[in-house]
Amino acid sequence: NAGVTQTPKFRVLKTGQSMTLLCAQDMNHEYMYWYRQDPGMGLRLIHYSVGEGTTAKGEVPDGYNVSRLKKQNFLLGLESAAPSQTSVYFCASSPRTSGSRYNEQFFGPGTRLTVL
Amino acid sequence: DQQVKQNSPSLSVQEGRISILNCDYTNSMFDYFLWYKKYPAEGPTFLISISSIKDKNEDGRFTVFLNKSAKHLSLHIVPSQPGDSAVYFCAASPKTGANNLFFGTGTRLTVIP
């Protein structure tokens, strides 16, 4: 199994350009997440999805949109990139919660995005 | 406002000694706590977790302690090995259905051979 994969690994954008980051998982997980990591800030949740066709906002959703058309894929879109969106983006997935058990998240390798 | 805090950005320890990484949280609704390990240019990988109904969980060289009254948890690594050198993130999740995680800012551990 490849686990969680992210495309692309690196990208440089100019202010105002748009792009889509792709996340794919082959573990049949129900839940998927997008985080950003900035220096001194840890990882912060942007958007998440608890199933195909459903999405919800996390801590820092402004300036981003997401779609979960297929269970295995979770797309993160930037419609008009800004320098403040320069960051490392991580996708994660986890199985559905069942009872009191917590299922940990599995992370992809990250996408380093620079907005000039 | 940061709900999960790791106040030590870095820690250096001699090989074979104990490493203690600390984490504090402010939200009393957090129900589950995790530690993730991260190497450069890789995603975080799950290390160990603890439920709020426990005060200790052990897995090999790694032990996590939870003090709910102090809203504090710690990760002990004994003995520390050079391969443990990485950034360690503390994370917490409230009792919701989506497993959402709130992360600390990370502590860079360096184990000196």
Side-chain angles (χ1 to χ4, degrees), chain B residues 53-104:
Chain B
I53 63 173
K54 295 185 176 181
D55 55 17
K56 177 182 174 181
N57 189 27
E58 199 169 350
D59 184 1
R61 296 186 298 114
F62 303 92
T63 304
V64 56
F65 296 91
L66 175 63
N67 182 334
K68 283 188 68 177
S69 60
K71 294 189 174 68
H72 177 83
L73 66 155
S74 61
L75 174 68
H76 292 210
I77 306 173
V78 182
S80 300
Q81 299 174 353
D84 296 329
S85 297
V87 177
Y88 289 78
F89 289 98
C90 170
S93 180
K95 201 167 189 177
T96 67
N99 289 359
N100 287 358
L101 287 176
F102 292 82
F103 281 85

Side-chain angles (χ1 to χ4, degrees), chain A residues 31 33 40 94 97 102-103 105 108, chain B residues 36 43 93 97-101 105:
Chain A
Y31 299 167
Y33 314 82
S94 77
T97 52
Y102 182 92
N103 292 308
Q105 297 180 17
Chain B
Y36 278 83
S93 180
N99 289 359
N100 287 358
L101 287 176
T105 52

Side-chain angles (χ1 to χ4, degrees), chain A residues 25-101:
Chain A
Q25 52 96 4
D26 60 2
M27 297 174 283
N28 201 34
H29 286 168
E30 290 291 337
Y31 299 167
M32 295 187 75
Y33 314 82
W34 275 108
Y35 292 88
R36 61 178 288 173
Q37 185 192 7
D38 302 295
M41 296 291 291
L43 281 79
R44 293 180 293 168
L45 183 64
I46 304 171
H47 286 279
Y48 64 97
S49 168
V50 297
E52 183 178 325
T54 71
T55 63
K57 295 180 179 180
E59 290 179 77
V60 289
D62 294 342
Y64 305 95
N65 56 76
V66 288
S67 63
R68 183 102 180 265
L69 298 179
K70 294 182 178 181
K71 184 177 182 179
Q72 64 268 34
N73 295 338
F74 195 28
L75 278 62
L76 178 71
L78 287 72
E79 290 186 350
S80 179
S84 60
Q85 294 177 304
T86 294
S87 188
V88 181
Y89 292 85
F90 290 101
C91 176
S93 71
S94 77
R96 182 194 300 273
T97 52
S98 56
S100 60
R101 173 177 166 74

